[in-house]
Amino acid sequence: MRWPFWWLYHSLTLTLLLFTNGYHSYDWASINLPVLHVPYYFTNNPHVADLCRTDESCPYKSALSEDRCWGYEQDCPVTNRLSQPTCPDPSRGWAQAKEDQLAQFWKGADFGYVLERRNEMTVYCAPETEEDSLLECAKYARYCRAKNIYLDFRKADFSGTENFKDDFLKSGEIGGHCRLDSSGLKSQSEHKYALQSWYSEVEHFTSLPFRPLDSKNCDVIIDKPVMFMKLDAGVNMFHHYCDFINFYTSQHLNNSFTQDMYMINWDTSMRPYNDLFKETFDAFTSHPMQYIKDFQNKRVCIKDAVFPLLPRMRWGMFYNMPLIPGCYSSSLFQAFSAHLVHRLHIPQEGPLGEKIRITLLDRDTKYRNVMNQNELVAALKTVGEYDVRVVVYKYRELPFLEQVKVSHNSDVFISMHGAGLTHMLFQPDWGAVIELFHCGDPNCYLDLARLRGLKYFTWEKMDKLTQEDEGHHPQLGAHQKFTNYGFEIVEFMRLVAMAADHVRSHPAFIAAKRSCNHSLPKDEL
């Protein structure tokens, strides 16, 4: 945290004082992290580690002896990190040396990204007392956090269908009691765009003559932490999970993983948000989603707010990420997967003793279907080692968390190009993914597999692939994504055999098989 020292000291001292005098026992269940992540949490919250040492009821005593760090902390040795990326393949001109290649991957796609954003943090409205306000942001206002801020929605225009209006709040309608660096804030406008920056929302931040949490200036006072959101498409898993990975990354930036917070959708229209993956929010908050339109005609004062990293930032996390070639396995994405699996209570039921679990996703849509799918499935079922499952991931037929459970229990996940491949985020660490055909978009899911640390396969021999027709995009004409495909069975089985070889030889798979009854612990890798 980068709050002024006196602010942090007051908060921690009060916590310790209440505990040591017997007035308050720490709610250990509120940590709610995978057991493997608790030592990292203690490193970044040493006051909580001290409480654990003195509290006989603390269930995390074993974590106190582990010296672990994510990599964005001061003096964090590489060997103490969750895992280390590798760069076995060439960078294709992106870097001159392996060290530079690895550093670029670490800074752009791993916890080095958090360190970069932390180093950018600049205070634009500085408090002078504990009751004053604070606004500080990373470069271009891609991420901001604030204390004791004032939002006046009495003149806000929620009419129309525009989700993210510019100049929605005017001067005096957003601000706080603090010393404002207006010229510094104005200099951060370069990335002003709906899903790339919060500049439009904080552009008119004003130094106010009153302290916002004075009740006579507030119609609503929110004491719980708030995370505002500007969300991408809730009907497309790939794009919506850009939101979720950036929420998780922002929690590391803010060093706060509490679920006792409000997530408020900064949507300036009156339209509802259609969300097919809304259960994922349960990993972040125990409260229902709110909207700023819920506060129409109100003055709202918020004690603690975060404006998180956004889903379509330039050089952002996940989408628009300039991912250097040749590198694999981001510990940030590994941690994100484990975090969601833990908080969404998704069980790992394998690996199976003598089986490789193969899931084939049936798109069941107009385009990008597998024309000879039945023949491919029949061929898979001739291999006794393969436990084969064909699934249709439609929320009306299979609830989203049930889909996640299937994906998490898939050693090999097979699909045509499409957003359903985003489910690879939930596969176990030993998993392999087969994108049957990338349909002219070769890097999208290859990059996601590299980030997640999974082995990726795709169709290699174009002479053994059948395209139904040239494809019929409604505006662009012939297009590979708008047709269907057939696959030669022998070549298909070769790809699956390579994926199965990867799974059975993976150290995590071998270790899991050695565990009791061939099952993993609740907090799997």
Side-chain angles (χ1 to χ4, degrees):
M1 301 287 285
R2 294 171 61 96
W3 307 125
F5 174 76
W6 54 263
W7 206 326
L8 183 63
Y9 177 80
H10 173 83
S11 174
L12 301 189
T13 301
L14 180 59
T15 300
L16 289 168
L17 183 63
L18 289 172
F19 180 84
T20 55
N21 283 290
Y23 295 116
H24 177 72
S25 180
Y26 195 85
D27 180 10
W28 297 110
S30 68
I31 292 178
N32 196 16
L33 295 172
V35 170
L36 289 177
H37 293 184
V38 173
Y40 303 84
Y41 180 81
F42 281 167
T43 295
N44 288 283
N45 298 274
H47 63 292
V48 181
D50 289 341
L51 294 178
C52 184
R53 287 188 183 92
T54 58
D55 184 355
E56 293 182 0
S57 68
C58 176
Y60 300 117
K61 296 286 189 182
S62 61
L64 295 170
S65 60
E66 297 187 49
D67 187 11
R68 309 294 292 177
C69 47
W70 296 112
Y72 51 74
E73 304 88 345
Q74 284 188 336
D75 303 319
C76 176
V78 172
T79 54
N80 288 6
R81 297 174 184 173
L82 178 67
S83 63
Q84 300 176 37
T86 60
C87 299
D89 299 328
S91 70
R92 302 203 292 269
W94 284 53
Q96 292 185 345
K98 277 293 174 187
E99 293 78 8
D100 182 40
Q101 185 184 14
L102 186 61
Q104 286 191 44
F105 185 84
W106 171 253
K107 290 179 180 179
D110 213 320
F111 282 113
Y113 187 88
V114 176
L115 179 60
E116 294 281 297
R117 301 292 79 76
R118 282 188 164 200
N119 288 339
E120 293 173 357
M121 293 299 289
T122 302
V123 174
Y124 293 108
C125 212
E128 294 183 347
T129 71
E130 186 179 349
E131 292 77 25
D132 280 350
S133 308
L134 170 78
L135 175 70
E136 63 174 343
C137 300
K139 198 172 184 180
Y140 308 125
R142 290 177 290 186
Y143 165 90
C144 298
R145 53 190 174 195
K147 293 278 189 180
N148 300 336
I149 61 167
Y150 173 84
L151 300 166
D152 187 349
F153 294 111
R154 289 177 296 179
K155 297 179 182 178
D157 178 14
F158 289 97
S159 64
T161 59
E162 191 176 356
N163 297 98
F164 314 110
K165 294 186 180 75
D166 281 346
D167 298 322
F168 180 68
L169 295 180
K170 308 295 192 296
S171 180
E173 295 178 345
I174 177 170
H177 189 269
C178 45
R179 288 181 289 106
L180 180 65
D181 177 9
S182 57
S183 61
L185 187 57
K186 281 186 169 69
S187 70
Q188 301 303 304
S189 63
E190 185 178 331
H191 290 195
K192 181 179 178 179
Y193 189 74
L195 294 178
Q196 294 185 3
S197 167
W198 288 97
Y199 184 79
S200 291
E201 287 71 32
V202 302
E203 178 180 7
H204 300 298
F205 200 92
T206 306
S207 180
L208 302 173
F210 59 87
R211 290 189 170 91
L213 267 65
D214 184 340
S215 60
K216 62 178 181 283
N217 297 304
C218 312
D219 300 307
V220 177
I221 296 177
I222 301 179
D223 286 328
K224 291 186 188 299
V226 167
M227 180 181 281
F228 288 110
M229 307 175 291
K230 292 192 292 186
L231 298 173
D232 209 328
V235 296
N236 181 292
M237 187 177 179
F238 180 84
H239 287 290
H240 201 8
Y241 264 70
C242 295
D243 295 310
F244 294 120
I245 185 65
N246 281 290
F247 294 159
Y248 181 68
T249 307
S250 298
Q251 288 182 313
H252 281 276
L253 269 167
N254 197 46
N255 190 31
S256 176
F257 296 90
T258 179
Q259 289 170 282
D260 189 16
M261 69 169 179
Y262 296 128
M263 301 187 78
I264 301 179
N265 191 337
W266 195 290
D267 188 336
T268 57
S269 76
M270 294 301 289
R271 296 187 301 177
Y273 182 73
N274 189 10
D275 193 341
L276 303 185
F277 315 99
K278 59 184 180 295
E279 292 89 346
T280 311
F281 280 103
D282 293 342
F284 297 92
T285 179
S286 56
H287 302 281
M289 184 193 295
Q290 300 181 49
Y291 295 79
I292 57 170
K293 61 192 172 191
D294 298 338
F295 305 107
Q296 190 174 18
N297 300 318
K298 299 271 195 328
R299 297 168 300 170
V300 181
C301 299
I302 302 175
K303 199 169 186 178
D304 190 343
V306 166
F307 300 81
L309 297 165
L310 291 161
R312 298 201 180 209
M313 297 177 295
R314 303 181 209 177
W315 313 295
M317 179 58 63
F318 192 126
Y319 191 79
N320 286 336
M321 174 187 283
L323 189 63
I324 187 168
C327 297
Y328 302 84
S329 193
S330 163
S331 60
L332 172 56
F333 277 75
Q334 180 187 358
F336 171 67
S337 176
H339 185 79
L340 262 60
V341 163
H342 171 82
R343 286 198 169 176
L344 297 177
H345 309 290
I346 307 300
Q348 175 53 254
E349 298 172 341
L352 303 181
E354 303 298 331
K355 298 281 188 176
I356 301 294
R357 299 168 297 175
I358 298 175
T359 298
L360 190 150
L361 179 60
D362 181 352
R363 282 179 53 81
D364 192 26
T365 55
K366 187 174 181 180
Y367 299 117
R368 278 175 275 152
N369 288 304
V370 179
M371 295 186 293
N372 61 332
Q373 180 173 291
N374 290 340
E375 289 84 353
L376 299 183
V377 172
L380 286 175
K381 290 183 176 179
T382 64
V383 180
E385 185 190 12
Y386 295 165
D387 182 75
V388 182
R389 183 170 183 172
V390 179
V391 294
V392 177
Y393 280 174
K394 291 189 175 180
Y395 73 97
R396 289 191 179 93
E397 300 175 15
L398 190 65
F400 179 63
L401 291 186
E402 288 299 312
Q403 298 175 24
V404 171
K405 180 180 176 183
V406 171
S407 304
H408 186 50
N409 286 279
S410 298
D411 304 320
V412 178
F413 191 82
I414 306 172
S415 175
M416 285 290 291
H417 178 87
L421 278 165
T422 311
H423 272 272
M424 72 173 76
L425 288 171
F426 292 106
Q427 281 186 264
D429 285 354
W430 58 75
V433 60
I434 301 175
E435 182 178 19
L436 274 175
F437 184 49
H438 54 63
C439 301
D441 189 358
N443 294 322
C444 181
Y445 294 104
L446 165 61
D447 285 352
L448 189 57
R450 288 203 289 135
L451 290 165
R452 177 63 188 89
L454 304 179
K455 186 67 174 177
Y456 172 89
F457 299 90
T458 192
W459 202 259
E460 298 172 352
K461 300 180 179 179
M462 294 301 108
D463 61 326
K464 298 182 182 296
L465 176 149
T466 302
Q467 186 169 324
E468 186 177 42
D469 54 33
E470 64 180 6
H472 304 284
H473 188 282
Q475 284 85 40
L476 302 178
H479 200 292
Q480 288 182 318
K481 292 184 181 180
F482 290 80
T483 187
N484 301 307
Y485 295 87
F487 299 89
E488 200 267 345
I489 293 175
V490 173
E491 177 63 13
F492 170 75
M493 295 298 288
R494 184 183 74 87
L495 282 180
V496 175
M498 288 194 298
D501 284 344
H502 167 80
V503 169
R504 70 170 69 90
S505 63
H506 196 287
F509 183 81
I510 295 169
K513 285 190 70 173
R514 287 174 179 163
S515 66
C516 182
N517 297 322
H518 304 290
S519 63
L520 289 173
K522 293 296 183 185
D523 294 289
E524 94 43 319
L525 297 175

